């Protein structure tokens, strides 16, 4: 029996919806990619006309969201939030209660006219400064800031993207849209109730915690991150193989995971030494880090050098093939590093010995080289693995390389240096990957001799044994550095200089977070060459109430992490100007155009006036204000694209066709009947309760804009079925969708303050759940006062 086409369409839309929700919750793909996947799926399945599918990118709600991002950027660049912060500090004094109320009121008002993440990013340094000056832990102030930014968005049409989308849903159904301040009465009640709860109850549920671990309230950066336990004096012997070695090549960071923050030499303190500073015998190094790696590599001679046993030519007898592989234009390797693609694992154990770029041959730190089309890789592996590269689109020509060519064409010494794993060595029982010999010392382990037998092309999982002789390819100078490190010693009982006392020497500490517009989310310091690029050291990362201070080079930096940096003041100042970072002190932030603050405020006021008087649609008024911000110099053209959250724009535009498909196929009506069938007989108050908490639950795990797009047609159908006002139920939904208080992942605003506040996951639940209940009660009481519940 054939399936009814209408039913089939409904089932297909339901499948797309289920797939999208699953991807949003699991975060397997970025949200904007999921939205585009939804859009394409709807077109391919014939559920949406191709022309209708892309209409979302020109939808008035999407245009307004885009324009509001730009207007918010203009307000940010002119220092509006900083002016508000200074006013709050003057008004609040030292009282915690008064301070909390004023911070929340200020953030709430700003969030009514700016996007909430922008308000939180602008206010965060201000609040951190307030915490420092008043001696209060940031954890007592940052969740209130975050929650106020979310609550303030409830008060106006442009406060959140969800409000605009709910209004657009009314237009689609042929109903009157919300006006600019329709949200204000109920939104103000919600904000007032929220501020009152935080002032009377919520603040007592907040932890007295700093961004570092522990429960103290001291605001000193070094104490907050526990630096005193990780500062040590390491002595370089008078006679050392490290003499004249630049810090950048000393392997102190890559091998020992130590940051050299100062050098004590001839009675002088050299704070934040440059990477090209050369070590000398007798230097006393002030280093920061744990000593685990130091004790592994330095406390004993774990590897004993011997005479060369084999050459690269000898490996050919063991089935090893050497060849040059050209990087193909447009292939999977162009623009990426060996580390990015996990080259050895990806290509069946093939290793890269060198990279030729024109006449230049690169032989060190190859894992960090960004590959270009036309580069030649000198690769080595089994005959099968190397020849398999010929069938890969990432490569062009694969050419065999004779052993005699290594020296002439590639400037490589063909000898392999044997290193024997000594008795009692800490390397015994570790795998090759765990030994980190390649990463730490640029040693390519080509094979090993065990019990008289030679083994080549070892697996990274190969476990080292006592007496193994490793056959390594390395430069003599790198081997000398490794031997030099083995003679370093840690001073016991030494007087440790304080980092925060080094400001007179031109160095200092600074705490930063990734900005909402950062492109570094998910990347490691190694991948972005953090030290080389910014000239400062990453000492620690605060995440989820814990301080992460080991293996920092390979630690993925996440949005919401707080980073503790040390370096020259001028370098720290330059980093604070970078749009990827947000310095957690107002004085270190990028230079603002405060002289244009009145102009930016005037543009915002003009936009609001035009909308209130009905002279222009809100999309055109917001777009005009955005253009005015650029023309008047409040926002530079080069800053415009940075201020827009493009994933959010793509997300909304890509998901709008799914909302239309739900309506057109009848899926929204079916879902509405299910809701009404479950609670409809219990009356309008139970229906409102169900809608509120369903929306709140969805908003904890799905982007709020998506919740608005998907639930709006269902709620409108439900209203029509029971004779309730669609406007009233969508207003209720607007109050619920912005109540993402119970988890840090519920909204980016919550994530932003997590690291600086030292919050754990449960901190949000302990405060957010009762706050949501309070807002629910307040909204339910306010709704019949301002909005008729039943259709007129």
């Amino acid at each position: 029996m054939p399936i009814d086409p209408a039913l089939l369409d409904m089932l297909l839309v339901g499948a797309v919806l289920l797939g999208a929700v699953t991807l949003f919750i699991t975060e397997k793909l970025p949200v904007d990619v999921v939205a585009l996947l939804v859009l394409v799926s709807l077109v391919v399945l014939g559920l949406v006309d191709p022309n209708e599918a892309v209409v979302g990118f020109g939808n008035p709600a999407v245009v307004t969201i885009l324009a509001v991002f730009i207007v918010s950027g203009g307000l940010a660049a002119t220092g509006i939030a900083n002016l508000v912060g200074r006013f709050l500090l003057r008004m609040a004094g030292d009282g915690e209660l008064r301070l909390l109320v004023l911070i929340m009121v200020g953030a709430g008002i700003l969030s009514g006219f700016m996007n909430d993440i922008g308000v939180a990013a602008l206010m965060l340094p201000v609040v951190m400064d307030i915490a420092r000056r008043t001696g209060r832990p940031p954890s007592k102030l940052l969740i209130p800031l975050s929650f106020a930014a979310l609550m303030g968005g409830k008060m106006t049409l442009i406060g959140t993207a969800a409000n605009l989308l709910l209004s657009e849903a009314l237009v689609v159904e042929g109903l009157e849209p919300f006006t600019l301040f329709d949200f204000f009465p109920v939104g103000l009640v919600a904000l007032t109730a929220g501020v009152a709860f935080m002032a009377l109850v919520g603040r007592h549920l907040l932890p007295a915690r700093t961004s570092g671990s522990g429960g103290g309230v001291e605001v000193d950066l070094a104490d907050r991150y526990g630096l005193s336990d990780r500062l040590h004096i390491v002595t370089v012997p008078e006679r050392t193989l490290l003499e004249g070695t630049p810090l950048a090549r000393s392997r102190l960071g890559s091998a020992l995971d130590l940051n050299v923050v100062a050098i004590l030499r001839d009675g002088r303190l050299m704070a934040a030494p440059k990477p090209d500073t050369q070590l000398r015998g007798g230097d006393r190094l002030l280093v920061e880090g744990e000593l685990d790696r130091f004790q592994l590599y330095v406390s004993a001679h774990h590897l004993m050098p011997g005479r060369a046993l084999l050459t690269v030519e000898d490996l050919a007898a063991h089935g090893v093939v050497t060849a040059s592989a050209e990087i193909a234009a447009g292939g999977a390797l162009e623009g990426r590093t060996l580390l990015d693609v996990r080259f050895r694992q990806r290509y069946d154990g093939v290793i890269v010995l060198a990279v030729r770029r024109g006449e230049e041959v690169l032989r060190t730190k190859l894992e960090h080289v960004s590959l270009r089309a036309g580069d030649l890789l000198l690769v080595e592996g089994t005959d099968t693995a190397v020849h398999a590269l010929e069938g890969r689109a990432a490569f062009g020509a694969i050419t065999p390389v004779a052993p005699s060519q290594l020296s002439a064409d590639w400037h490589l010494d063909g000898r392999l240096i044997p290193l024997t794993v000594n008795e009692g060595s800490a390397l015994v029982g570790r795998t090759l990957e765990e030994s980190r010999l390649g990463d730490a010392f640029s040693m390519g382990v080509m094979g090993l001799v065990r019990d008289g037998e030679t083994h080549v092309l070892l697996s990274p999982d190969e476990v080292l044994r006592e007496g193994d002789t490793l056959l390594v390819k390395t430069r003599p100078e790198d081997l000398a550095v490794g031997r030099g490190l083995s003679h370093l010693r840690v001073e016991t009982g030494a007087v440790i200089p304080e980092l925060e006392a080094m400001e007179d020497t031109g160095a200092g500490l600074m705490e930063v977070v990734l900005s909402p517009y950062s492109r570094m989310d998910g990347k490691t310091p190694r991948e972005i060459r953090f030290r080389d690029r910014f000239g400062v050291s990453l000492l620690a990362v605060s995440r989820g109430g814990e301080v992460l201070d080991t293996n920092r080079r390979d630690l993925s930096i996440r949005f919401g992490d707080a980073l503790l940096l040390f370096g020259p003041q001028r370098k720290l100042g330059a980093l604070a100007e970078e749009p990827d970072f947000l310095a957690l002190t107002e004085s270190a932030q990028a230079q603002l155009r405060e002289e244009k603050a009145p102009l930016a405020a005037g543009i915002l006021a003009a936009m609001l006036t035009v909308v209130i008087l009905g002279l222009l649609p809100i999309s055109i008024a917001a777009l005009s204000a955005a253009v005015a911000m650029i023309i008047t110099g409040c926002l530079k053209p080069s800053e415009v694209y940075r201020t827009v959250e493009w994933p959010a724009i793509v997300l909304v535009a890509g998901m709008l066709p799914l909302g239309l498909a739900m309506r057109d196929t009848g899926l929204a009506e079916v879902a509405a009947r299910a809701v009404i069938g479950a609670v409809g007989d219990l009356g309008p108050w139970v229906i409102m309760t169900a809608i509120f908490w369903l929306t709140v639950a969805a908003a904890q795990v799905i982007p709020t804009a998506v919740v608005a797009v998907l639930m709006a047609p269902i709620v409108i159908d439900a209203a029509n079925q029971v004779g309730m006002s669609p406007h009233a139920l969508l207003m209720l939904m607007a109050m619920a969708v912005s109540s993402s208080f119970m988890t840090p992942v519920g909204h980016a605003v919550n994530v932003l303050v997590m690291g600086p506040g030292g919050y754990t996951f449960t901190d949000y639940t302990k405060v957010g759940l009762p706050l949501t209940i309070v807002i629910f009660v307040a909204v339910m009481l306010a709704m019949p006062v301002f909005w008729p519940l039943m259709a007129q």
Side-chain angles (χ1 to χ4, degrees):
M1 181 177 177
I3 300 178
D4 180 21
L7 177 61
L8 179 61
D9 286 350
M10 188 186 303
L11 292 175
L12 289 174
V13 171
V16 173
L17 172 62
L18 180 61
V21 171
T22 302
L23 289 173
F24 284 130
I25 294 174
T26 59
E27 299 182 343
K28 294 291 186 182
L29 293 172
V31 293
D32 49 340
V33 175
V34 175
L36 292 177
L37 184 60
V38 167
L39 186 152
V40 171
S41 299
L42 292 173
V43 174
V44 171
L45 294 172
L47 301 170
V48 174
D49 181 84
N51 293 327
E52 288 183 352
V54 296
V55 165
F57 289 94
N59 185 282
V62 176
V63 173
T64 305
I65 295 168
L66 173 66
V68 169
F69 278 131
I70 298 174
V71 172
S72 297
L75 295 173
T78 54
I80 294 292
N82 300 66
L83 296 174
V84 171
R86 291 172 200 158
F87 172 76
L88 293 177
L89 189 58
R90 288 196 302 269
M91 293 286 292
D94 294 331
E96 180 180 302
L97 176 60
R98 192 174 182 185
L99 191 59
L100 180 143
V101 170
L102 287 174
I103 286 174
M104 294 192 72
V105 170
I109 292 173
L110 285 173
S111 188
F113 305 101
M114 298 173 61
N115 65 305
D116 38 27
I117 186 69
V119 170
L122 290 171
M123 292 283 290
L124 179 57
V126 177
V127 174
M128 290 295 288
D129 273 348
I130 290 174
R132 276 188 285 268
R133 294 172 191 173
T134 60
R136 302 195 178 280
S139 62
K140 287 289 188 181
L141 302 175
L142 293 184
I143 273 184
L145 167 66
S146 170
F147 288 177
L150 291 174
M151 289 187 288
K154 300 174 187 285
M155 294 194 298
T156 69
L157 178 62
I158 61 173
T160 68
N163 292 356
L164 287 162
L165 293 169
L166 293 174
S167 181
E168 183 64 20
L170 291 170
V171 175
V172 171
E173 296 292 337
L175 300 172
E176 191 71 24
F178 290 121
T179 62
L180 182 62
F181 287 108
D182 276 349
F183 297 82
F184 185 76
V186 181
L188 180 62
V189 169
L191 177 63
T192 303
V195 172
F197 169 80
M198 292 301 297
L200 299 176
V201 179
R203 66 190 178 101
H204 300 296
L205 302 176
L206 293 169
R209 189 184 301 129
T210 63
S211 56
S213 58
V217 298
E218 177 61 50
V219 295
D220 178 84
L221 277 177
D223 287 346
R224 284 164 53 188
Y225 282 87
L227 288 186
S228 58
D229 296 330
R230 302 198 309 277
L231 289 175
H232 313 278
I233 299 289
V234 170
T235 302
V236 181
E238 291 289 346
R239 298 182 61 184
T240 176
L241 292 172
L242 296 175
E243 182 75 39
T245 301
L247 280 175
R249 288 176 45 204
S250 69
R251 305 288 175 179
L252 284 161
S254 62
L256 307 184
D257 199 22
L258 297 176
N259 283 306
V260 179
V261 296
I263 298 177
L264 298 161
R265 176 184 294 167
D266 300 331
R268 295 186 301 111
L269 177 70
M270 302 167 56
K274 297 179 180 180
D276 59 359
T277 301
Q278 296 182 352
L279 294 173
R280 295 183 187 173
D283 281 346
R284 299 171 68 226
L285 311 179
L286 176 61
V287 300
E288 182 276 334
E290 300 290 348
L291 294 179
D292 297 353
R293 194 85 60 78
F294 183 92
Q295 292 163 352
L296 173 63
Y297 288 114
V298 176
S299 60
H301 298 287
H302 297 297
L303 294 170
M304 182 63 68
R307 293 181 301 172
L309 297 177
L310 294 173
T311 66
V312 174
E313 295 181 45
D314 297 324
L315 295 181
H318 297 274
V320 178
V321 174
T322 307
S324 69
E326 182 183 17
I327 299 297
L333 297 181
E334 185 180 9
R336 306 188 69 187
T337 68
L338 300 177
L339 186 67
D340 289 339
V341 299
R342 296 176 61 84
F343 188 93
R344 186 169 183 174
Q345 290 83 354
R346 184 170 184 170
Y347 296 109
D348 299 324
V350 173
I351 61 176
V352 179
L353 301 178
V355 177
R356 174 181 286 280
R357 179 169 292 164
E359 297 300 316
E360 182 182 13
V361 176
L362 310 174
R363 292 171 294 171
T364 61
K365 297 185 177 181
L366 298 180
E367 66 271 20
H368 302 305
V369 174
S370 181
L371 301 175
R372 302 175 187 171
D375 283 350
L376 296 180
L377 308 185
L378 181 65
V379 298
E380 199 163 66
T382 64
D383 182 72
T384 302
V386 170
H387 280 90
L389 300 181
E390 295 179 352
R392 301 270 194 162
F395 299 98
I398 308 295
T399 307
V401 174
S404 59
Q405 294 177 271
L406 293 177
S407 176
D409 297 342
W410 293 89
H411 314 306
L412 285 177
D413 186 344
R415 292 172 297 175
L416 300 177
I417 298 175
L419 298 174
T420 300
V421 180
N422 287 339
E423 180 181 357
S425 169
L427 297 178
V428 174
R430 293 176 180 266
T431 65
L432 270 178
E433 186 172 29
E434 291 170 344
S435 75
R436 300 182 72 252
L437 292 173
D439 178 42
F441 298 103
S442 288
M443 293 182 180
V445 181
M446 312 298 293
L448 64 79
V449 178
R450 176 181 292 161
D451 299 329
E453 294 186 9
T454 301
H455 307 269
V456 298
L457 297 176
L458 305 173
S459 164
D461 297 326
E462 182 71 38
V463 178
L464 300 179
R465 303 179 188 174
E466 183 179 304
D468 283 348
T469 297
L470 306 180
L471 306 175
V472 304
K473 191 80 185 87
T474 188
R475 299 185 306 170
E477 52 266 41
D478 288 330
L479 186 60
V481 167
R483 295 176 63 188
L485 290 179
S486 69
H487 292 91
L488 298 179
R489 292 295 177 263
V490 176
E491 291 187 16
T492 57
V495 177
I496 307 294
E498 294 184 3
L499 296 188
E500 292 190 326
M502 294 186 186
E503 290 189 3
D504 292 341
T505 66
L509 293 166
M510 185 169 73
E511 193 177 20
V512 303
V513 295
L514 294 186
S515 78
Y517 319 111
S518 179
R519 296 166 296 185
M520 297 184 181
D521 184 25
K523 296 185 178 179
T524 67
R526 186 208 296 262
E527 289 172 338
I528 59 180
R529 301 181 67 84
F530 191 91
R531 170 79 188 191
D532 295 340
R533 182 172 177 180
F534 301 112
V536 299
S537 298
L538 173 61
L539 301 187
V541 175
S542 174
R543 175 183 298 165
E546 296 182 9
V547 172
L548 309 177
D549 51 24
T550 58
N551 200 26
R552 288 154 292 195
R553 297 196 323 146
D554 296 312
L555 181 69
S556 293
I557 301 173
R558 301 177 190 168
F559 181 64
D561 288 346
L563 315 181
L564 182 65
L565 310 177
F566 177 81
Q569 294 285 4
R570 58 185 181 83
K571 293 288 187 181
L572 293 173
L575 183 138
E577 298 276 349
E578 290 282 336
D580 287 301
F581 297 98
L582 183 64
L584 297 185
T585 176
E586 185 183 349
S587 60
Q589 286 191 294
Q591 189 67 35
L592 300 174
R593 307 177 193 103
E594 292 190 357
E595 72 281 358
K596 291 186 178 291
L599 185 57
I603 292 172
L604 175 64
M607 180 190 83
L608 299 178
T609 302
V610 167
V611 174
I612 292 170
L613 296 177
L615 300 179
L616 287 174
I618 190 168
S619 57
I620 302 302
L623 204 55
S624 301
V627 173
M629 287 287 185
I630 301 169
I631 292 175
T632 57
C634 294
L635 192 67
K636 294 181 179 178
S638 60
E639 298 169 337
V640 171
Y641 292 97
R642 276 284 201 175
T643 64
V644 177
E645 292 181 43
W646 293 106
I649 299 297
V650 175
L651 171 67
V652 173
M655 292 300 294
L656 281 174
L658 181 55
L660 295 175
M662 289 174 60
R663 184 200 64 177
D664 294 342
T665 61
L667 181 60
E669 183 180 356
V670 170
R673 285 177 183 170
V675 173
I676 299 306
V679 298
D681 294 338
L682 301 177
W685 291 99
V686 177
I687 293 174
M688 292 170 65
T689 299
I691 290 174
F692 185 94
W693 287 106
L694 280 174
T695 305
V696 166
Q700 306 306 313
V701 293
I702 300 175
T704 54
V706 175
V707 175
V709 169
L710 299 184
M711 288 196 62
I714 297 174
V715 170
I716 291 174
D717 270 327
N720 292 332
Q721 290 178 30
V722 296
M724 294 186 69
S725 165
H727 289 82
L729 291 189
L730 287 190
M731 180 60 63
L732 176 74
M733 195 179 147
M735 299 300 114
V737 79
S738 296
S739 298
S740 306
F741 307 126
M742 291 185 282
T743 69
V745 297
H747 199 283
V749 172
N750 294 340
V751 178
L752 179 65
V753 302
M754 191 175 188
Y759 296 121
T760 63
F761 192 97
T762 56
D763 290 331
Y764 291 86
T765 307
K766 284 192 295 187
V767 184
L769 179 56
L771 173 62
T772 306
I773 294 173
V774 168
I775 288 179
F776 165 69
V777 172
V779 168
M780 291 292 280
L781 293 175
M783 281 297 301
V785 176
F786 299 105
W787 289 91
L789 300 185
M790 307 308 293
Q792 301 298 308

